[in-house]
Amino acid sequence: MATHYVALDLETTGLDRDNDAIIEIGAVRFDGSGAVVDTFEALVNPHVPLPPQVQDLTGIGESELADAPPIYLVAPQFQAFIGDDPLVGHNIINFDVPFLSRAGIVTPPHAYDTQDISTLLVQGLPEYSLAALAAHFEIEFPVRHRALADAAQLLLEWSGAC
């Protein structure tokens, strides 16, 4: 059994995992008790224009990304950070893992998708977004659509709910 897990979230230029690019990686390594062990945060220059709706949603501007390293420089650092620890994320199987794979980041064999898990554990909600789950569990969620904040929020929700 794993002694550590990595809660992960990505921000991207869009939702198309085959054509869009990662602009931010946020991850929180935590132990079995939910205690934070380490964090990883990186902005990534996608080398494509950042759509205005993504800038509005995330608050990340093109000027911030202009000086950020490209994914090929961030990938080895992030690969070392996750190591063999299982990943935990919201919609991680259908979104984050494919984006990471396309960036050349090999993910561990175990990934736990909290969106899938929440549909089993908390039945009957009209939606299962992080914001909807935070509201359901009465957990504050002040910063949204920033990778590290979302990864930390994920950890809060699931350590409190499980």
Side-chain angles (χ1 to χ4, degrees), residues 13-73:
T13 58
L15 301 176
D16 185 341
R17 62 187 188 192
D18 294 322
N19 296 304
D20 287 311
I22 297 169
I23 61 170
E24 185 179 37
I25 301 173
V28 178
R29 173 175 285 106
F30 62 99
D31 65 19
S33 71
V36 173
V37 176
D38 200 2
T39 61
F40 181 94
E41 182 177 27
L43 288 173
V44 178
N45 187 332
H47 294 289
V48 296
L50 191 58
Q53 65 269 27
V54 173
Q55 292 182 52
D56 291 343
L57 184 66
T58 64
I60 299 170
E62 286 189 332
S63 62
E64 290 177 82
L65 298 179
D67 294 330
I71 192 65
Y72 71 85
L73 292 178

Side-chain angles (χ1 to χ4, degrees), residues 148-161:
L148 185 58
D150 285 357
Q153 182 68 30
L154 178 77
L155 174 58
L156 278 175
E157 287 179 24
W158 288 99
S159 64

Side-chain angles (χ1 to χ4, degrees), residues 31-134:
D31 65 19
S33 71
V36 173
V37 176
D38 200 2
T39 61
F40 181 94
E41 182 177 27
L43 288 173
V44 178
N45 187 332
H47 294 289
V48 296
L50 191 58
Q53 65 269 27
V54 173
Q55 292 182 52
D56 291 343
L57 184 66
T58 64
I60 299 170
E62 286 189 332
S63 62
E64 290 177 82
L65 298 179
D67 294 330
I71 192 65
Y72 71 85
L73 292 178
V74 175
Q77 297 168 343
F78 187 61
Q79 185 76 67
F81 179 82
I82 60 174
D84 293 328
D85 292 336
L87 299 178
V88 178
H90 209 69
N91 197 24
I92 194 170
I93 302 299
N94 293 317
F95 189 79
D96 303 76
V97 168
F99 268 97
L100 292 173
S101 178
R102 196 166 133 248
I105 298 168
V106 178
T107 56
H110 298 291
Y112 301 101
D113 193 322
T114 59
Q115 187 169 25
D116 290 344
I117 294 168
S118 66
T119 63
L120 297 171
L121 296 177
V122 189
Q123 295 181 359
L125 294 181
E127 71 171 283
Y128 290 89
S129 67
L130 280 179
L133 291 168

